[in-house]
Amino acid sequence: QSNVTLYGRVDLGYQFNNKVNAAGDSLSELKNGGIAPSIWGLRGTEDLGSGLSAFFNLESHFYGDTGQLEGAGRLFRRQANLGVKGAFGSVALGRQYSPALLAHLGTDPRGFKEQFSMLYPYALNQTTAPDTLNDLGIFLANAVSYTNSFGPVNVGAAYAFGEQAGKFSAGRTASIGGSYTGPVTVSASYQQIKNVAGTGDTKQWGLGGAVPLGPVKAKILYLRTKSDAGVLAGAETNVGVWGVGVDYVWGANTSTVAYYQGKDKETSGALTDKTKTLVLSNDYALSKRTTLYAQLAYADYDAGSTARTSIIAGPVVAGEKQTVFGLGIKHDF
Amino acid sequence: QSNVTLYGRVDLGYQFNNKVNAAGDSLSELKNGGIAPSIWGLRGTEDLGSGLSAFFNLESHFYGDTGQLEGAGRLFRRQANLGVKGAFGSVALGRQYSPALLAHLGTDPRGFKEQFSMLYPYALNQTTAPDTLNDLGIFLANAVSYTNSFGPVNVGAAYAFGEQAGKFSAGRTASIGGSYTGPVTVSASYQQIKNVAGTGDTKQWGLGGAVPLGPVKAKILYLRTKSDAGVLAGAETNVGVWGVGVDYVWGANTSTVAYYQGKDKETSGALTDKTKTLVLSNDYALSKRTTLYAQLAYADYDAGSTARTSIIAGPVVAGEKQTVFGLGIKHDF
Amino acid sequence: QSNVTLYGRVDLGYQFNNKVNAAGDSLSELKNGGIAPSIWGLRGTEDLGSGLSAFFNLESHFYGDTGQLEGAGRLFRRQANLGVKGAFGSVALGRQYSPALLAHLGTDPRGFKEQFSMLYPYALNQTTAPDTLNDLGIFLANAVSYTNSFGPVNVGAAYAFGEQAGKFSAGRTASIGGSYTGPVTVSASYQQIKNVAGTGDTKQWGLGGAVPLGPVKAKILYLRTKSDAGVLAGAETNVGVWGVGVDYVWGANTSTVAYYQGKDKETSGALTDKTKTLVLSNDYALSKRTTLYAQLAYADYDAGSTARTSIIAGPVVAGEKQTVFGLGIKHDF
């Protein structure tokens, strides 16, 4: 028998965007990743005895519509890690998810879906270069992590080496996230990324909650990210984004209504970077591994809106209103 | 049990070409893909009930002689698709084979082998840029397809989005192919590719047939491709290629004699783009999954010959005669 | 059942280097490949009857710390080959290991570990360009090999085509290696790589031995590589490297002490390219597939030292002394 499990996902659909540039052009496309990214990966575990086991995970990210690998040669962009777990928790080395991101999976109103969620303001407010170190604050390279569960409480912490000669902390990421999952869910995170020069950083914290009300679940998440001047392109940024939403489960369907609003406090002058977005969606579980979905977003961009305050993966058209509609199928294997 | 099948092929051998440039130099090489490309891939299906099933296919293309991935980062260059099939037929989304190409698999005299077949004039007369949309008219990105069988008749149609803002049809591909497979086989196809600017297109149609005569099978295929000026590099092209051949099966061997002739009607002036090629080959099935092969092509290039009229994957040496000999082994897994 | 075995390895740890540049800066990092490279691959065999079988191997090389694929798009950098084996031995086509390297696996004092072994002077004294042909003298592209065993004697020979038009031998590699494995091991190799222009070459030979003395095994290896002027960057080189070491097995541990010394005979003028390195290490087998390791190297670089005489994967700081310490975990799957 094999020591390896081969797994993955393909998520493809049709997407219409009524306004993708200042000229007001629309765009119809076959769209990858309406709900989740298309991936393939390898994972496995080995029993080491004494309640210990070794594990590894290699996860690759591609575009289902074109077959293109995401990223320039990062074959395992999402995960390339190895670790040991036991009663003490789990320690992992390598490229891995940020614990800060993972904390809020259950409280982002749309569960960090690839299209229309807080994933984008999370990612696009992070120190970006070089992504071999800290890829959008989501995939931490050169990282050591510790995760554990204490009853309903899950915690994770990671330290990612910056690997700059003579400057131990330059380029490093420190990330921590935790959640309480009783009937009510609460999530909290903090992440700091120092730039490679060691002259500035991005600091981010988040707080979220989810409350079940019969067949309905209400969720709320707030995320604030502050970057020193020059860390992102240009001046200091201080972006706050909040989202609220409700999931309603009926049979094989999950319907969601969510509203997000993001604003950069530092751009309160002539042009405000502020975006408001309403999302409606329904997922229909065709089977255990296959889901059909329909989703609609309506965004209202201020004159200074940028991708830092928007939850849509696609062009921000400042000062305009935009409607994005998608219809797709997601299959896990 | 796994939901995934891992599969592939390696095809490697020795190839000698007696004339690879105007200086008359010869070339000996370890050659990838004498019969078929080296590939690896993942595929799987899921029973959805009610006679429906979901399926996916991810297929990667590499060079067995060097280990190099084909294409700049297109990990799944050949296939990256997802679909649902049932009594109604099959609908697939993503990167997939052109139905126009698939129609003629049974009627090209050499079955679209990687070396010495109508694959090359098929591919090299297509609008080429950008190959993220339409990779040689073979691998269509951003495509939606429908295929079905009605007794001995197979039909397939695909529409591939051009994804140009404000210009719905620019860059799109429309492709249709069908075949009748009784004792006699008949194949027909039509494909149109619009360039990204939306200012011109490539139109192609093909018609083929195969007739069994005892242990012998005779095949014929005609393919015509017309590109507007500027769509391919330079002036309008109007290339017709025909091929005839005979397969003879004896024991574990299949011997083939084929003749191909291609001509661009638009270059009827000083220098004619016309190529004639004779091919002899024998495949010996060492086992169910492993084949040994020997093949020989003799090409007569006119003074204006280009790759658009040639069936050899390798340099066209205009105005010369060329002999290419290969000996190899193909293994499927 | 599948015809394919999916396999691989992830090897990650912490590494500290006390001096990585002339300024005397130190470097702390999460390090890939302390013992062996991180890889994933596909392999399989097919019974052909008559005592024959077909086999293939596709092996990919990546960085476990960042997920990056090693090399520019060489998906199967390490192996992409296909062959047939039987009583006559084994013949393989494609990208494959150099037989010259394989001969010394049992006699290099540190078994060609990725960190701290004769792998680096072996690799970095080879004609380097283009690595699509001869990747560091280790991975030979376009190669045909023959290997066989005669009782305790293993021999391998390979010829890798240079594939230069009109110049049959330009760019080619010829490699031969053999070992005798009785209680005592003896290894010998010869490899010649012609540059692509056909104007010069790299010639290399090696001789090694290993002797068991109770729980201890003593090993010695000598390697000499001579490159014509212009083949490597600059003048002619003539580098000799020798290594001696002792392995001591106690329970699940293997402790090793090794000493290496390399010198370029052609740089005997003002600045000598000479490096001396002492290595201490211990591997602890946590299980059949998982190993913990600690290793320490102390290098003494002469004023003219280069990577050609050093066994450390990392910056050579000429004229300085360097301490490198690593602690890691290796997991095979």
Side-chain angles (χ1 to χ4, degrees):
Chain A
Q1 79 298 350
S2 176
N3 303 313
V4 195
T5 299
L6 190 56
Y7 71 96
R9 183 195 305 120
V10 185
D11 179 341
L12 286 167
Y14 169 79
Q15 183 179 288
F16 173 78
N17 188 324
N18 79 325
K19 203 175 284 174
V20 296
N21 53 33
D25 287 329
S26 67
L27 178 64
S28 278
E29 57 187 322
L30 195 85
K31 181 77 177 173
N32 179 58
I35 289 186
S38 292
I39 59 171
W40 71 279
L42 313 175
R43 65 183 166 215
T45 60
E46 183 194 15
D47 188 345
L48 300 174
S50 313
L52 296 177
S53 61
F55 63 90
F56 76 95
N57 203 333
L58 305 173
E59 194 170 295
S60 185
H61 189 160
F62 66 93
Y63 291 93
D65 49 351
T66 64
Q68 191 77 18
L69 185 69
E70 207 291 330
R74 286 192 301 282
L75 180 63
F76 298 118
R77 181 209 185 189
R78 302 182 77 83
Q79 298 201 65
N81 53 60
L82 167 64
V84 175
K85 61 187 166 191
F88 69 91
S90 174
V91 172
L93 309 178
R95 191 174 183 100
Q96 49 195 299
Y97 284 102
S98 158
L101 179 85
L102 294 180
H104 301 301
L105 260 175
T107 55
D108 174 52
R110 290 183 47 77
F112 288 135
K113 284 182 177 172
E114 281 287 290
Q115 190 52 300
F116 316 142
S117 80
M118 212 180 278
L119 199 58
Y120 294 92
Y122 177 95
L124 299 177
N125 284 290
Q126 309 279 352
T127 308
T128 54
D131 64 6
T132 49
L133 290 181
N134 158 43
D135 194 344
L136 299 169
I138 296 173
F139 311 110
L140 308 180
N142 309 311
V144 182
S145 73
Y146 171 74
T147 53
N148 206 351
S149 296
F150 305 93
V153 176
N154 291 283
V155 294
Y159 182 90
F161 289 88
E163 303 195 346
Q164 305 302 306
K167 293 180 283 186
F168 185 81
S169 75
R172 69 108 165 105
T173 298
S175 178
I176 186 163
S179 60
Y180 169 88
T181 311
V184 166
T185 302
V186 179
S187 66
S189 70
Y190 180 77
Q191 181 160 289
Q192 187 208 15
I193 304 175
K194 291 202 178 174
N195 68 2
V196 170
T199 57
D201 66 14
T202 292
K203 288 187 192 76
Q204 183 191 72
W205 62 267
L207 195 62
V211 182
L213 305 162
V216 165
K217 194 166 207 175
K219 300 181 187 176
I220 183 163
L221 178 60
Y222 181 78
L223 200 73
R224 174 159 292 280
T225 318
K226 201 171 168 305
S227 288
D228 292 337
V231 166
L232 297 180
E236 183 179 329
T237 60
N238 187 354
V239 174
V241 189
W242 57 269
V244 290
V246 172
D247 285 342
Y248 173 67
V249 178
W250 46 292
N253 293 274
T254 303
S255 297
T256 304
V257 181
Y259 175 81
Y260 291 88
Q261 186 171 311
K263 188 180 176 191
D264 185 351
K265 290 196 171 180
E266 295 295 325
T267 59
S268 51
L271 294 179
T272 312
D273 182 351
K274 182 178 171 184
T275 304
K276 295 178 279 188
T277 316
L278 179 70
V279 184
L280 305 175
S281 69
N282 189 66
D283 295 351
Y284 172 73
L286 208 52
S287 71
K288 215 181 99 186
R289 300 196 278 118
T290 305
T291 299
L292 295 177
Y293 60 89
Q295 47 196 16
L296 175 77
Y298 177 81
D300 182 351
Y301 299 116
D302 268 23
S305 281
T306 72
R308 289 174 197 161
T309 57
S310 171
I311 62 155
I312 296 177
V316 166
V317 188
E320 301 288 338
K321 288 167 177 57
Q322 188 183 57
T323 304
V324 184
F325 172 71
L327 200 64
I329 178 169
K330 175 177 81 72
H331 176 73
D332 295 299
F333 60 87
Chain B
Q1 81 297 348
S2 175
N3 303 314
V4 194
T5 299
L6 191 55
Y7 70 96
R9 183 195 306 119
V10 186
D11 180 341
L12 286 167
Y14 169 79
Q15 183 179 290
F16 174 78
N17 187 324
N18 79 324
K19 203 175 285 174
V20 296
N21 54 33
D25 287 331
S26 66
L27 178 63
S28 278
E29 57 186 322
L30 195 84
K31 181 76 179 175
N32 179 58
I35 288 185
S38 291
I39 59 171
W40 72 279
L42 314 174
R43 65 183 165 214
T45 60
E46 183 193 15
D47 188 346
L48 299 174
S50 314
L52 296 177
S53 60
F55 62 91
F56 75 94
N57 202 334
L58 306 173
E59 193 170 295
S60 186
H61 189 160
F62 66 93
Y63 291 93
D65 48 351
T66 64
Q68 190 77 19
L69 186 68
E70 207 292 329
R74 286 191 300 284
L75 181 62
F76 298 118
R77 180 208 185 190
R78 302 183 75 84
Q79 297 201 65
N81 53 62
L82 168 64
V84 175
K85 61 188 167 191
F88 69 91
S90 174
V91 171
L93 308 179
R95 191 176 184 98
Q96 48 194 300
Y97 284 102
S98 157
L101 179 85
L102 294 180
H104 302 299
L105 260 175
T107 55
D108 174 51
R110 290 183 48 76
F112 287 136
K113 285 182 175 172
E114 281 286 289
Q115 189 53 299
F116 316 142
S117 81
M118 212 178 279
L119 199 59
Y120 294 92
Y122 177 95
L124 300 177
N125 283 291
Q126 310 278 351
T127 307
T128 55
D131 64 6
T132 49
L133 289 181
N134 157 45
D135 194 344
L136 299 169
I138 297 173
F139 311 110
L140 309 180
N142 309 310
V144 182
S145 72
Y146 170 75
T147 53
N148 205 352
S149 296
F150 306 93
V153 175
N154 291 283
V155 293
Y159 181 90
F161 289 88
E163 303 193 348
Q164 305 304 306
K167 292 180 284 185
F168 185 82
S169 74
R172 69 107 166 106
T173 298
S175 177
I176 185 163
S179 61
Y180 168 88
T181 311
V184 166
T185 302
V186 178
S187 67
S189 70
Y190 179 78
Q191 182 161 290
Q192 187 207 16
I193 305 175
K194 291 201 178 174
N195 67 2
V196 170
T199 58
D201 66 14
T202 292
K203 289 187 192 79
Q204 182 192 71
W205 60 267
L207 195 62
V211 181
L213 306 161
V216 165
K217 194 167 207 173
K219 298 182 188 176
I220 183 163
L221 178 59
Y222 181 79
L223 200 74
R224 173 159 295 279
T225 318
K226 200 169 169 306
S227 288
D228 292 336
V231 167
L232 297 180
E236 183 179 330
T237 59
N238 186 353
V239 174
V241 188
W242 56 269
V244 290
V246 172
D247 284 343
Y248 173 65
V249 178
W250 46 293
N253 293 274
T254 303
S255 296
T256 304
V257 180
Y259 176 81
Y260 290 88
Q261 185 170 313
K263 188 180 174 189
D264 185 351
K265 290 195 170 180
E266 294 296 326
T267 59
S268 50
L271 294 180
T272 311
D273 182 353
K274 182 177 171 185
T275 303
K276 295 177 279 186
T277 315
L278 179 70
V279 185
L280 305 176
S281 69
N282 190 66
D283 294 353
Y284 173 72
L286 207 52
S287 71
K288 215 180 99 187
R289 299 196 280 119
T290 306
T291 299
L292 295 177
Y293 58 89
Q295 47 196 17
L296 176 77
Y298 176 81
D300 182 351
Y301 298 117
D302 269 22
S305 281
T306 72
R308 289 173 197 161
T309 58
S310 170
I311 63 156
I312 296 178
V316 166
V317 188
E320 301 287 337
K321 289 167 177 58
Q322 188 183 55
T323 303
V324 184
F325 172 72
L327 200 65
I329 179 169
K330 175 177 82 73
H331 177 73
D332 294 300
F333 59 88
Chain C
Q1 77 299 347
S2 175
N3 304 312
V4 195
T5 299
L6 192 55
Y7 69 96
R9 182 196 304 121
V10 186
D11 179 341
L12 287 166
Y14 169 78
Q15 183 179 289
F16 174 77
N17 188 325
N18 79 324
K19 202 175 285 173
V20 296
N21 54 31
D25 287 331
S26 66
L27 179 63
S28 279
E29 57 186 322
L30 194 85
K31 181 77 178 175
N32 179 58
I35 288 186
S38 291
I39 60 172
W40 71 279
L42 314 174
R43 67 183 165 215
T45 60
E46 183 194 15
D47 188 344
L48 300 175
S50 314
L52 295 177
S53 61
F55 62 90
F56 75 95
N57 203 332
L58 305 172
E59 194 170 296
S60 185
H61 188 160
F62 66 94
Y63 291 93
D65 48 351
T66 64
Q68 190 77 19
L69 185 67
E70 207 292 329
R74 285 192 301 285
L75 181 62
F76 298 117
R77 181 208 184 190
R78 302 183 75 83
Q79 297 201 64
N81 54 60
L82 168 64
V84 175
K85 62 188 166 190
F88 69 90
S90 175
V91 171
L93 308 179
R95 191 175 183 99
Q96 47 194 300
Y97 285 103
S98 158
L101 180 86
L102 294 180
H104 302 301
L105 260 175
T107 56
D108 174 50
R110 289 182 48 77
F112 287 136
K113 284 182 177 172
E114 282 285 291
Q115 190 53 298
F116 316 143
S117 80
M118 211 178 279
L119 199 58
Y120 294 92
Y122 177 95
L124 299 177
N125 283 289
Q126 310 279 353
T127 307
T128 54
D131 65 6
T132 48
L133 289 182
N134 159 44
D135 194 344
L136 299 170
I138 297 172
F139 311 111
L140 308 180
N142 309 310
V144 182
S145 73
Y146 171 74
T147 54
N148 206 351
S149 295
F150 306 93
V153 176
N154 291 283
V155 294
Y159 181 90
F161 288 88
E163 302 194 346
Q164 304 304 305
K167 291 179 284 184
F168 185 81
S169 75
R172 69 108 166 105
T173 299
S175 177
I176 185 163
S179 61
Y180 168 89
T181 311
V184 166
T185 302
V186 179
S187 67
S189 70
Y190 179 78
Q191 181 160 292
Q192 187 208 15
I193 305 175
K194 291 201 177 175
N195 68 1
V196 170
T199 56
D201 67 15
T202 293
K203 289 187 191 77
Q204 183 192 71
W205 61 267
L207 194 61
V211 181
L213 304 161
V216 166
K217 195 167 207 174
K219 298 180 187 177
I220 183 163
L221 178 60
Y222 181 79
L223 200 73
R224 174 159 294 280
T225 317
K226 201 169 168 307
S227 288
D228 292 337
V231 167
L232 297 180
E236 183 180 329
T237 59
N238 187 353
V239 174
V241 188
W242 56 269
V244 291
V246 172
D247 285 343
Y248 174 66
V249 178
W250 46 293
N253 293 274
T254 303
S255 296
T256 304
V257 181
Y259 176 81
Y260 290 87
Q261 185 171 312
K263 188 181 175 190
D264 185 350
K265 289 195 170 180
E266 295 295 325
T267 60
S268 51
L271 295 179
T272 311
D273 182 352
K274 183 177 170 184
T275 303
K276 295 178 279 187
T277 315
L278 179 69
V279 184
L280 306 176
S281 69
N282 190 66
D283 294 352
Y284 173 72
L286 208 52
S287 71
K288 214 180 99 188
R289 300 196 279 119
T290 306
T291 299
L292 296 177
Y293 59 89
Q295 46 196 15
L296 176 77
Y298 177 81
D300 182 351
Y301 298 117
D302 269 23
S305 280
T306 71
R308 290 173 197 160
T309 57
S310 169
I311 62 156
I312 295 178
V316 166
V317 189
E320 302 287 337
K321 289 168 178 57
Q322 187 183 57
T323 303
V324 184
F325 172 72
L327 201 63
I329 178 170
K330 175 177 82 72
H331 177 72
D332 295 298
F333 59 88

